[in-house]
Amino acid sequence: MGRYFVKRVLGTIPLLLVISFLIFMFIHLIPGDPVRNMAGREATTEELENLRESMGFNKPLYQQYFSYLNDLVHGDLGISYKTKLPVSEMMIGRLKPTLKLTFFATLWSTIVGIAIGVLSAVNRGKLIDYLGMLIAISGISIPGFWLGLVMIQIFSVKLGWVPTGGLDTWRSYILPSITLGCGIMAILARFSRSSMLDSLGEDYVRTARAKGQRERLVILRHAFRNSLVQVVTVIGLQIGGLLAGSVLIETVFTIPGLGRLLVDSLAFRDYKVVQALLLFFSFEYILINLIVDLLYGVLNPRIRLK
Amino acid sequence: MYKRKILFVFIFLTVFAFAAQGLLTVSAQSDNAAKAPDQDLVIAFNNDIRALDPHNVSDTLTISATRTMYESLVKFNEKQEIVPLLAESYEISDDGMTYTFHLRSGVLFHDGTEFNSDAVKANIDRCKDESLRQNRIVKQIANAEYPDPYTVILTLAKPNNTFLNKMTMFDFIAPATIAAGEEKILREPCGTGPYTFKDRVEGDHVTVVPFEKYWDGAPQVASLTFKAVPEDGARVAMLQTGEADYIYPMPTTQIKVVEGKKDILIDAKTSNIMRYVTLNTELEQLKDKRVRQAINYAVDKDAYIKTVFNGYASKVYSCYPETIQYYAPQPPYDFNLEKAKALMKEAGAENGFKLTIWGDNITSEEKGMQFIQQQLKQIGIDVDVMPMEANVVAEKIQAERDKAEVNMWYVNWSASSFDADGAIRAILHGESIPPGQYNSAYYNNEEVNKLMDEALAITDPKILQEKYARIQEIVWDDAPWIFLASDQVISGYKSYCSGIQLYPDGAIDCSKAKLN
């Protein structure tokens, strides 16, 4: 498995190179001019030209790309046009809140989502099943943005239990984690239910029951473990999305995370930040997919990685 | 079985709805106690703070933050008059070429060094760098003399009546910090202002604390934090819970909901923002002045202010708002459909025509454009609303003149230093026609151009008033725009806050802030 891992990681390098090229071209080809955003509207043509020259925007695009690539190889992500701070420093600063939030949101939504899914599957067609699926449908249907604002009104403004936003104390994590995790909980509940139902219909479950094993063991050891492969895939994809930051949740709860950074930087045409973020998100997706692949082998020994 | 399920779902939803309703209507806490819970003043803004380099800032929010730590030679007071700050007094020569500033003595930078003419020199020298925004001020100076530690004589290359206004934007950094380079300026701001830098979390907040040795007496709060809260609802909620003591901007849609409740007060005043729609005067349909006047008569400005700004905007009677220097109100284009139709007929356009309107794709701007669309329909003008991302509009506006596609542009302009030239040059001067600047009406009136250029060299306020009044009269009559309104700057704050000044450009002065 070690060799497989190294091979896969090395395999990402050419992929990232292609991605870096695509990102660079896209961001430079869409309309917009960071120089105008930096200089403000009152800037004269001459001032704009001076700034453009000093930023190297007058050079041909391919030269700009190679200089970007050169910096990238040397671990230099550049300086943000907007804050004049190093992009790497900004990203690390923004990654922390996003990571914390992702962790808590994933934690609760995975536990609750899978629990609802399993309970619904086991009690198929019964009240618990309908209740579970009602929660799941609500979780998917309620827009996070709206839910966040309503919860702020109830729990922060009216009841005063938790802060409206920020990530200063442990209490400030509660509302954003709940809001962010709702959708994932719902998806996981649906997936684990259907995956569990599939497993429950398998021959080995019938065999286990025929052997006279206790129902709890049949469900947990045989059906549940086998149903996890699909569920893990879904969790992987969802975490990937979460790490790219949830712009809406970060905006509603005033969290300085990666998602907000990406949107703000795009609006400003802060090329260096956008390039670095998109490259990071691509890498992170590749990495998570790799971890998911490795987990398959752990969960189901029949799957061998070559 | 099926009925039971339905019943169950129904009961569940009903209970949920009642629970939510109950929580939402928990009675508001008693509003008697209007006492500050602590001495840490928190101001919530709608944007992130950018680079903390006073010589390179362009947005008002960052200026509000840097102004707590930095000061200029002169500043605007609350009546929009220029008054001395780090200069105790100043003189301008009759020819408008030489400015002599007498510096205030006993002023210290946060690093303990003294503010004097050497410090002024270090700052002026730094801004000779063309990539810095404040280079546009220093560029005007042909010669700078520093005869003694408290006198600075600046001679301009050519007279410019906006120079003093621009100097209100020129802040002074401690020479040692300048010498240490940009990195130091960004991370450890050091000026003469009432507050010293404490910490910054990029994307979240900047905190400053009072400078005990401030020449005008240290501020009375324990700390001051500028927090970025982009979501309107969240910002208002923070004010309600007291997590923020002061918020700007206060969304107009929420004013009625919160005003007077939970000790919340509202401060609304006329801004320096001009709202208008440029009418491409080179376009066949809009070439005739009468058509453009008809368009102005066809738009009901009262309704516009009510619909788009919930009433929180002021009517305009000139091409710039009253907060700008040398303002001269003109006879209004009062809503008058008969007159509008008559003018259209006179111009031979009674059958109407088609136009497009461009603008940013944000809700309030789209609402504004749709309003214009409805209004112009009344005189037969069929408007196609085209909202676009801000960068896309900016790029399309900057097209080469012979390839210009713009018909109407729904936009706003604010002159950051409140000078008349700044309020019109980049948007109405013939030389500001795109590409380059923003005169997307392609308005080119020789007399207006000439008056603008002449005025720059004049220092006599009386003559300036005449010149700028004439410009406003001509522009108003030529109607290269639909003159819409002027936004109001609106803040919301807890009643225990005092001494916080909100300026017409949205800048916030906290030097005298108090939490009672």
Side-chain angles (χ1 to χ4, degrees):
Chain A
M1 195 195 275
R3 273 186 67 184
Y4 172 80
F5 184 78
V6 173
K7 235 168 86 182
R8 281 284 300 267
V9 170
L10 289 178
T12 60
I13 293 172
L15 188 58
L16 283 174
L17 226 98
V18 174
I19 293 172
S20 79
F21 177 74
L22 290 177
I23 292 170
F24 184 89
M25 292 317 283
F26 280 138
I27 181 82
H28 281 80
L29 291 179
I30 56 171
D33 184 358
V35 169
R36 274 189 189 277
N37 291 330
M38 273 191 283
R41 292 200 301 189
E42 284 173 51
T44 61
T45 319
E46 189 195 346
E47 284 167 6
L48 290 172
E49 213 37 55
N50 284 337
L51 197 56
R52 209 162 271 142
E53 183 72 44
S54 74
M55 308 283 303
F57 286 133
N58 284 344
K59 289 184 193 150
L61 212 52
Y62 75 90
Q63 270 187 28
Q64 291 184 47
Y65 175 68
F66 283 118
S67 112
Y68 156 67
L69 208 59
N70 185 41
D71 289 346
L72 198 63
V73 172
H74 291 92
D76 180 7
L77 295 176
I79 301 284
S80 154
Y81 305 151
K82 194 172 169 185
T83 64
K84 305 279 175 203
L85 297 172
V87 175
S88 48
E89 183 188 314
M90 284 170 74
M91 275 177 62
I92 292 168
R94 300 282 192 132
L95 183 61
K96 277 187 217 159
T98 300
L99 270 183
K100 285 183 191 169
L101 198 59
T102 303
F103 175 76
F104 288 117
T106 316
L107 188 72
W108 86 260
S109 59
T110 307
I111 295 172
V112 175
I114 293 179
I116 290 177
V118 171
L119 280 174
S120 294
V122 174
N123 298 290
R124 188 181 185 181
K126 294 183 190 157
L127 194 62
I128 292 181
D129 187 17
Y130 288 107
L131 184 60
M133 288 309 103
L134 181 73
I135 293 172
I137 287 171
S138 314
I140 293 177
S141 321
I142 296 174
F145 191 76
W146 179 85
L147 181 67
L149 284 174
V150 168
M151 287 209 299
I152 286 176
Q153 276 304 316
I154 296 174
F155 297 107
S156 305
V157 178
K158 297 291 178 195
L159 299 172
W161 290 349
V162 283
T164 55
L167 288 178
D168 304 323
T169 63
W170 65 269
R171 287 191 306 153
S172 41
Y173 284 91
I174 299 174
L175 295 189
S177 305
I178 292 177
T179 316
L180 190 58
C182 256
I184 302 168
M185 177 272 290
I187 292 170
L188 281 179
R190 303 275 324 175
F191 260 93
S192 42
R193 179 179 178 271
S194 66
S195 168
M196 192 69 187
L197 283 177
D198 287 346
S199 310
L200 282 172
E202 292 284 345
D203 289 346
Y204 54 78
V205 170
R206 200 176 31 188
T207 312
R209 279 191 181 128
K211 277 197 302 187
Q213 262 193 350
R214 268 182 296 161
E215 185 62 16
R216 225 170 71 180
L217 275 183
V218 173
I219 288 167
L220 289 180
R221 186 178 290 166
H222 299 280
F224 178 59
R225 189 171 167 186
N226 278 293
S227 73
L228 272 182
V229 173
Q230 277 188 46
V231 175
V232 164
T233 313
V234 177
I235 295 176
L237 286 174
Q238 295 295 328
I239 293 179
L242 284 191
L243 276 179
S246 166
V247 183
L248 294 181
I249 305 298
E250 286 174 2
T251 307
V252 171
F253 290 103
T254 322
I255 294 163
L258 289 174
R260 235 175 81 192
L261 181 63
L262 179 65
V263 172
D264 291 346
S265 307
L266 259 175
F268 196 83
R269 298 292 188 264
D270 200 340
Y271 292 162
K272 302 275 177 183
V273 181
V274 177
Q275 283 163 192
L277 280 175
L278 291 180
L279 201 61
F280 170 75
F281 294 150
S282 316
F283 178 70
E284 161 243 306
Y285 254 101
I286 296 172
L287 195 72
I288 286 175
N289 271 308
L290 178 58
I291 294 172
V292 168
D293 284 353
L294 294 176
L295 271 179
Y296 286 165
V298 177
L299 289 170
N300 189 343
R302 282 175 304 177
I303 299 172
R304 286 279 167 265
L305 304 167
K306 282 179 189 144
Chain B
M1 183 70 189
Y2 183 70
K3 272 186 188 164
R4 261 179 60 191
K5 269 180 242 156
I6 300 251
L7 184 70
F8 165 75
V9 170
F10 179 75
I11 291 170
F12 177 85
L13 287 177
T14 315
V15 170
F16 180 79
F18 272 106
Q21 177 67 21
L23 283 168
L24 279 169
T25 50
V26 169
S27 63
Q29 290 153 3
S30 125
D31 287 349
N32 307 330
K35 207 166 164 259
D38 55 42
Q39 286 299 311
D40 298 306
L41 174 58
V42 177
I43 296 185
F45 273 143
N46 60 341
N47 266 322
D48 289 348
I49 286 172
R50 298 185 190 172
L52 282 177
D53 179 349
H55 292 160
N56 215 8
V57 305
S58 59
D59 68 300
T60 316
L61 300 185
T62 310
I63 290 173
S64 287
T66 55
R67 282 285 164 78
T68 62
M69 300 175 273
Y70 292 103
E71 290 176 311
S72 46
L73 290 177
V74 283
K75 70 162 191 172
F76 282 104
N77 65 8
E78 55 278 6
K79 292 180 203 149
Q80 295 314 116
E81 299 157 341
I82 296 176
V83 292
L85 187 63
L86 285 180
E88 221 157 22
S89 62
Y90 59 87
E91 294 126 31
I92 307 169
S93 66
D94 291 338
D95 60 0
M97 293 287 280
T98 310
Y99 288 72
T100 307
F101 294 97
H102 303 285
L103 308 186
R104 197 178 287 281
S105 60
V107 174
L108 293 180
F109 283 107
H110 302 156
D111 62 4
T113 57
E114 200 194 0
F115 170 76
N116 52 27
S117 55
D118 286 342
V120 175
K121 182 175 188 307
N123 280 270
I124 288 182
D125 287 348
R126 180 184 184 227
C127 291
K128 286 177 180 161
D129 176 353
E130 286 183 339
S131 68
L132 292 174
R133 190 178 161 84
Q134 296 305 39
N135 175 256
R136 67 181 62 161
I137 299 173
V138 169
K139 213 165 48 185
Q140 297 181 30
I141 303 169
N143 186 37
E145 291 167 64
Y146 311 94
D148 66 67
Y150 297 108
T151 310
V152 175
I153 305 170
L154 304 176
T155 310
L156 305 188
K158 54 181 181 189
N160 187 325
N161 79 58
T162 70
F163 184 71
L164 206 57
N165 293 59
K166 298 278 191 269
M167 283 304 281
T168 63
M169 314 284 289
F170 194 87
D171 292 331
F172 292 91
I173 307 174
T177 306
I178 293 179
E182 193 185 33
E183 177 89 7
K184 177 101 171 166
I185 297 172
L186 292 170
R187 291 179 193 276
E188 293 166 53
C190 182
T192 61
Y195 295 89
T196 62
F197 179 73
K198 188 173 170 229
D199 72 341
R200 169 180 197 174
V201 173
E202 189 277 315
D204 191 58
H205 71 267
V206 168
T207 300
V208 293
V209 290
F211 175 40
E212 292 308 327
K213 291 178 182 163
Y214 181 58
W215 60 272
D216 199 19
Q220 299 188 19
V221 297
S223 73
L224 164 58
T225 299
F226 291 98
K227 201 167 166 55
V229 185
E231 218 297 299
D232 282 350
R235 205 162 54 249
V236 174
M238 280 183 79
L239 183 64
Q240 289 175 300
T241 61
E243 284 165 80
D245 305 297
Y246 190 101
I247 64 167
Y248 176 81
M250 174 80 205
T252 53
T253 46
Q254 311 240 9
I255 293 175
K256 292 268 176 323
V257 184
V258 298
E259 192 174 15
K261 290 175 196 150
K262 296 203 175 194
D263 314 321
I264 293 171
L265 300 176
I266 303 292
D267 182 15
K269 52 177 71 151
T270 309
S271 72
N272 63 343
I273 304 165
M274 177 74 193
R275 291 261 159 202
Y276 59 97
V277 174
T278 64
L279 304 170
N280 185 345
T281 54
E282 289 188 341
L283 208 66
E284 204 48 52
Q285 302 95 302
L286 296 170
K287 246 182 184 163
D288 195 315
K289 182 166 93 178
R290 289 166 298 187
V291 171
R292 301 195 300 266
Q293 287 175 337
I295 290 177
N296 269 286
Y297 281 117
V299 176
D300 184 347
K301 282 86 175 178
D302 289 311
Y304 170 76
I305 289 170
K306 214 178 260 175
T307 314
V308 182
F309 291 91
N310 293 297
Y312 290 92
S314 310
K315 280 176 95 167
V316 285
Y317 302 97
S318 173
C319 55
Y320 59 74
E322 57 183 298
T323 49
I324 307 287
Q325 285 180 321
Y326 310 116
Y327 169 73
Q330 307 297 319
Y333 284 105
D334 282 332
F335 178 55
N336 187 337
L337 274 183
E338 293 315 309
K339 201 164 181 178
K341 281 175 185 161
L343 278 164
M344 287 289 275
K345 197 171 179 187
E346 225 178 274
E350 65 272 31
N351 295 327
F353 44 78
K354 279 186 175 186
L355 286 176
T356 57
I357 186 166
W358 295 353
D360 291 358
N361 58 351
I362 52 176
T363 316
S364 56
E365 306 281 294
E366 287 181 19
K367 213 165 155 185
M369 288 189 274
Q370 283 155 5
F371 181 84
I372 301 294
Q373 180 187 41
Q374 288 160 5
Q375 298 283 297
L376 296 193
K377 204 169 193 166
Q378 303 172 103
I379 53 167
I381 301 175
D382 192 5
V383 178
D384 186 9
V385 175
M386 296 174 73
M388 287 171 257
E389 200 242 3
N391 285 285
V392 178
V393 189
E395 184 144 324
K396 285 176 87 85
I397 292 292
Q398 295 304 332
E400 291 297 329
R401 193 168 180 176
D402 53 339
K403 292 185 188 115
E405 291 170 42
V406 63
N407 293 185
M408 296 193 284
W409 183 24
Y410 183 86
V411 68
N412 65 82
W413 187 264
S414 46
S416 53
S417 45
F418 302 101
D419 58 277
D421 190 70
I424 49 180
R425 179 171 293 274
I427 45 182
L428 287 167
H429 197 291
E431 283 172 12
S432 303
I433 284 172
Q437 303 289 96
Y438 294 93
N439 179 358
S440 60
Y442 293 84
Y443 179 63
N444 193 5
N445 182 309
E446 287 306 326
E447 192 184 349
V448 169
N449 296 346
K450 200 167 149 244
L451 281 165
M452 247 190 255
D453 295 338
E454 281 171 5
L456 263 193
I458 293 167
T459 49
D460 184 345
K462 260 192 196 152
I463 306 177
L464 280 170
Q465 179 68 50
E466 281 166 24
K467 298 254 180 206
Y468 284 118
R470 177 73 187 133
I471 292 175
Q472 292 169 71
E473 190 188 341
I474 301 172
V475 171
W476 189 258
D477 183 61
D478 278 345
W481 304 341
I482 311 176
F483 305 99
L484 287 173
S486 172
D487 299 29
Q488 288 181 6
V489 283
I490 309 165
S491 64
Y493 60 99
K494 290 286 198 182
S495 57
Y496 51 71
C497 296
S498 67
I500 305 172
Q501 278 289 341
L502 175 65
Y503 284 97
D505 59 349
I508 296 166
D509 178 359
C510 302
S511 55
K512 302 278 179 246
K514 253 177 159 177
L515 293 165
N516 305 305

